[in-house]
Amino acid sequence: MKKLSLITLLGLSLSVFMSCEKDLDIESENAYDISADQQYATPQGYKQALAGVYGNLSLTGTSGPGSSFLEGIDAGTSQFARCLWYLQDLTTDEAVWSYENDEGVRELQRNIWTSNNPILLGMYSRTMAEVAFANDFLRQSTPDKLSSRGITNATDVANINDYRNEVKVLRAYSYYVMMDLFGKAPMLTESDPLDFSGPEFNRQQLFNFVESELNAVMASLKPARTNEYGRLDRAMAQMILAKMYLNAEAYGLAPKYNECMNMCSAIIGGGYTLNLNYLDNFKADNHLSSEMIFTLQADGVSTQNYGATTVIINGQVGSLENNGSEFGVGGWGGALRLRKQFVQKFDGSDFDFDARKTLFGGGDRTLEISNIALQKEGYILKKYSNKTSAGIPGPSSTFVDTDFPLFRLADVYLMYAEAQMRKDGATNGGSTTNASAESLGYLNALRDRANGYDFPDFTQSQVTLDFILDERARELHWEAHRRQDLIRFGKYTGGTYNWAWKGNGANGVSIPAHMKLFPIPADNLLANPNLTQNQGY
């Protein structure tokens, strides 16, 4: 469905990296792997290798959707976006997964995980594999390497330098993810030898590294919306910084709300606009959306894998409704349902015609989930689809064409408003209503879009930080933001806010503060003696 130059390379592009970092237990699946000198012999080889660095965020291996080049780690528990979605959304009030015999899922959605959870291992290993792939590309693309391979044409050299800058952003993004989820990571760069056990960097050190790396390449990145689809640009780097700055205080670091606002303003000035139709952001042709800042590509033919959008779209099909044809998929028998507390974010007449309210329930489908294994308990969602905005289904009824919306403009609007309010004195749980006229404009633009551009504007007196948190849930649910948001608002751990099955209680119970971080997987601790376990595990 998408004729994109980058996506056509993804399925062919990973094998060159298979042995680049042996300490990560990356194994080759291809008996016909080529050497680095063969891979990088031509400018096209460099672009193919670039696609490999991107491809690690979409694919799991080179031998089809069930393959994984991470030794001893299943493809289903190591696809990047799927693991990210599990950790950021399934561990919160947004969703439950019916099949708790699936490895690692029960512990995550009941908030009883340990360092032996296979999905945590998959997330950690996949993200650090991205660092390894980035480092190898950077080693192979130095001026000396290009010269030794006879690549001297000015245009080719300039293109490869562009690739290098993008790869540095992908590496910085990976370390941002590690900082957010695990609070620490081994530091590895292109200057380190293979098989190097990197020193442990804490949150402050990771924050400083990512900030420095992104600022160093910022001016050299292509301006927003000028790169080919699927490749990042300056707005991606700005988005990572904006996210870091918004969460800095929650990370235990110095507040950076003004810096967050500046990054958000730069992104907004990059030419993005809200898609007129909210749900078109989550369809099989969402690559056409004017508000996508960066997505993880999916194609039902070229990049078959059990990633986030394939899981979400098949999973949201109801067991009672059998409504897979509505979304262009076969469906997985009611795998995903909504927890009551999320459904209640749309209570009230203000949301009667809200396009973001795609909840379905009633009759035999109950709001309460007394037994996670009963697929008829819990409302279902109809947000994502494997059909285009014109209603045309993707070529596969299992593997979807819908790209995962990692970052989009609506999030930037909400981040700006929150950062402005916090900078100007609003606090968690407080009643301060200090949204500026600019912040109100962004909030009203989102609610207006959701209601067909016919909705009364909010006034300053209606907007507290708690309102922002709920609005983030209504706008960004199932997009891998919720855990981070709840932590920032002081509602993830403890018992201030409980949701169904939080802490393994049917009505939710308090969970300890150390669960704001995930444990370092036991296997990774064994592999690198420099790593230490997070407190409480």
Side-chain angles (χ1 to χ4, degrees):
M1 188 165 291
K2 303 183 184 77
K3 304 299 183 183
L4 304 173
S5 57
L6 186 66
I7 204 168
T8 59
L9 295 175
L10 294 184
L12 303 173
S13 57
L14 293 174
S15 62
V16 70
F17 297 118
M18 291 306 181
S19 60
C20 64
E21 293 288 345
K22 294 180 181 178
D23 59 310
L24 291 174
D25 291 325
I26 296 171
E27 64 176 356
S28 175
E29 299 174 319
N30 186 353
Y32 302 99
D33 285 347
I34 60 177
S35 70
D37 284 335
Q38 289 174 299
Q39 172 68 42
Y40 292 104
T42 65
Q44 180 64 13
Y46 275 91
K47 186 166 187 181
Q48 186 180 37
L50 172 72
V53 186
Y54 280 100
N56 180 59
L57 300 179
S58 295
L59 304 173
T60 54
T62 59
S63 303
S67 69
S68 174
F69 59 73
L70 296 175
E71 187 173 359
I73 303 176
D74 182 77
T77 58
S78 67
Q79 200 277 342
F80 178 84
R82 179 175 182 171
C83 289
L84 184 69
W85 189 84
Y86 278 169
L87 299 189
Q88 296 284 20
D89 285 348
L90 199 61
T91 66
T92 74
D93 59 352
E94 288 195 348
V96 293
W97 182 260
S98 300
Y99 309 123
E100 292 200 298
N101 287 331
D102 287 3
E103 278 194 304
V105 172
R106 183 180 189 274
E107 293 80 11
L108 290 180
Q109 67 183 11
R110 294 174 184 251
N111 312 102
I112 53 172
W113 55 75
T114 71
S115 62
N116 293 311
N117 186 280
I119 297 171
L120 291 176
L121 176 62
M123 182 81 255
Y124 190 104
S125 301
R126 180 67 59 183
T127 308
M128 289 308 300
E130 182 71 1
V131 171
F133 290 175
N135 286 339
D136 194 71
F137 185 94
L138 295 173
R139 292 187 191 103
Q140 298 294 342
S141 56
T142 62
D144 287 346
K145 284 288 188 181
L146 296 182
S147 178
S148 71
R149 291 166 177 154
I151 299 175
T152 57
N153 177 273
T155 299
D156 292 335
V157 171
N159 287 338
I160 293 170
N161 283 333
D162 285 342
Y163 303 163
R164 282 178 61 85
N165 291 329
E166 292 173 38
V167 165
K168 288 181 180 180
V169 175
L170 291 173
R171 181 176 64 182
Y173 171 69
S174 300
Y175 274 122
Y176 156 73
V177 170
M178 296 296 290
M179 175 178 62
D180 183 71
L181 296 176
F182 299 101
K184 58 179 67 170
M187 178 50 60
L188 298 162
T189 73
E190 69 274 24
S191 300
D192 296 318
L194 298 181
D195 292 330
F196 178 67
S197 296
E200 179 178 277
F201 268 36
N202 61 27
R203 259 186 171 161
Q204 183 69 72
Q205 292 170 307
L206 291 173
F207 189 101
N208 293 343
F209 174 81
V210 174
E211 183 180 40
S212 175
E213 284 281 286
L214 294 178
N215 284 328
V217 302
M218 187 72 72
S220 300
L221 296 170
K222 291 183 182 296
R225 308 198 69 199
T226 64
N227 211 346
E228 65 179 314
Y229 183 79
R231 288 172 57 190
L232 62 86
D233 54 32
R234 194 173 299 158
M236 170 66 166
Q238 292 165 337
M239 190 71 176
I240 299 167
L241 287 173
K243 284 285 183 184
M244 284 179 29
Y245 292 148
L246 183 63
N247 288 284
E249 188 171 22
Y251 292 157
L253 311 178
K256 298 251 182 201
Y257 298 119
N258 192 62
E259 291 88 338
C260 177
M261 292 171 63
N262 290 338
M263 283 298 119
C264 290
S265 294
I267 297 166
I268 292 167
Y272 298 95
T273 58
L274 293 181
N275 193 311
L276 295 177
N277 186 324
Y278 173 76
L279 290 178
D280 283 353
N281 289 307
F282 314 103
K283 294 180 179 176
D285 56 352
N286 62 350
H287 62 290
L288 301 175
S289 174
S290 59
E291 70 178 276
M292 293 302 179
I293 294 169
F294 189 70
T295 65
L296 300 180
Q297 293 191 75
D299 185 284
V301 175
S302 300
T303 62
Q304 291 186 353
N305 66 89
Y306 293 101
T309 47
T310 286
V311 169
I312 289 169
I313 296 172
N314 282 282
Q316 72 181 14
V317 174
S319 60
L320 298 176
E321 297 77 10
N322 295 313
N323 56 331
S325 61
E326 184 178 349
F327 311 115
V329 293
W332 292 346
L336 287 169
R337 288 158 291 131
L338 298 167
R339 306 196 202 213
K340 176 178 72 173
Q341 288 73 21
F342 169 74
V343 173
Q344 291 172 334
K345 300 292 184 287
F346 286 97
D347 283 353
S349 59
D350 280 354
F351 307 103
D352 285 348
F353 304 103
D354 195 310
R356 304 169 301 182
K357 186 180 180 180
T358 64
L359 325 172
F360 183 83
D364 291 336
R365 180 165 294 287
T366 64
L367 177 63
E368 300 281 352
I369 301 175
S370 61
N371 183 340
I372 290 177
L374 294 179
Q375 291 98 320
K376 68 178 183 179
E377 294 187 352
Y379 283 21
I380 59 172
L381 191 70
K382 299 184 177 184
K383 176 173 176 173
Y384 287 85
S385 178
N386 189 35
K387 290 185 177 181
T388 68
S389 51
I392 301 170
S396 170
S397 62
T398 298
F399 303 105
V400 305
D401 272 20
T402 310
D403 295 344
F404 185 74
L406 194 67
F407 295 133
R408 60 185 179 92
L409 180 64
D411 189 10
V412 183
Y413 282 3
L414 289 161
M415 287 197 297
Y416 181 96
E418 181 186 338
Q420 176 266 307
M421 292 178 68
R422 290 188 186 278
K423 179 183 74 72
D424 292 339
T427 57
N428 288 340
S431 58
T432 302
T433 56
N434 61 348
S436 67
E438 191 167 11
S439 294
L440 286 173
Y442 294 143
L443 297 173
N444 283 319
L446 295 178
R447 188 63 72 88
D448 206 31
R449 188 259 298 269
N451 287 274
Y453 302 92
D454 182 23
F455 196 79
D457 283 350
F458 296 118
T459 62
Q460 188 183 68
S461 64
Q462 294 174 284
V463 179
T464 64
L465 281 182
D466 278 346
F467 168 88
I468 295 284
L469 178 61
D470 286 349
E471 191 68 1
R472 286 187 64 82
R474 288 184 282 262
E475 177 70 32
L476 301 169
H477 57 277
W478 287 27
E479 296 180 52
H481 300 291
R482 186 61 170 167
R483 167 195 160 273
Q484 186 184 78
D485 292 346
L486 288 173
I487 289 173
R488 195 171 61 254
F489 280 80
K491 294 188 175 184
Y492 189 67
T493 58
T496 302
Y497 173 56
N498 290 331
W499 56 84
W501 296 102
K502 176 184 177 181
N504 206 21
N507 296 315
V509 298
S510 174
I511 60 176
H514 72 264
M515 299 189 83
K516 292 176 186 176
L517 287 173
F518 292 107
I520 307 301
D523 287 2
N524 297 108
L525 283 175
L526 290 173
N528 186 344
N530 297 325
L531 296 178
T532 59
Q533 187 55 275
N534 283 322
Q535 184 178 358
Y537 293 106

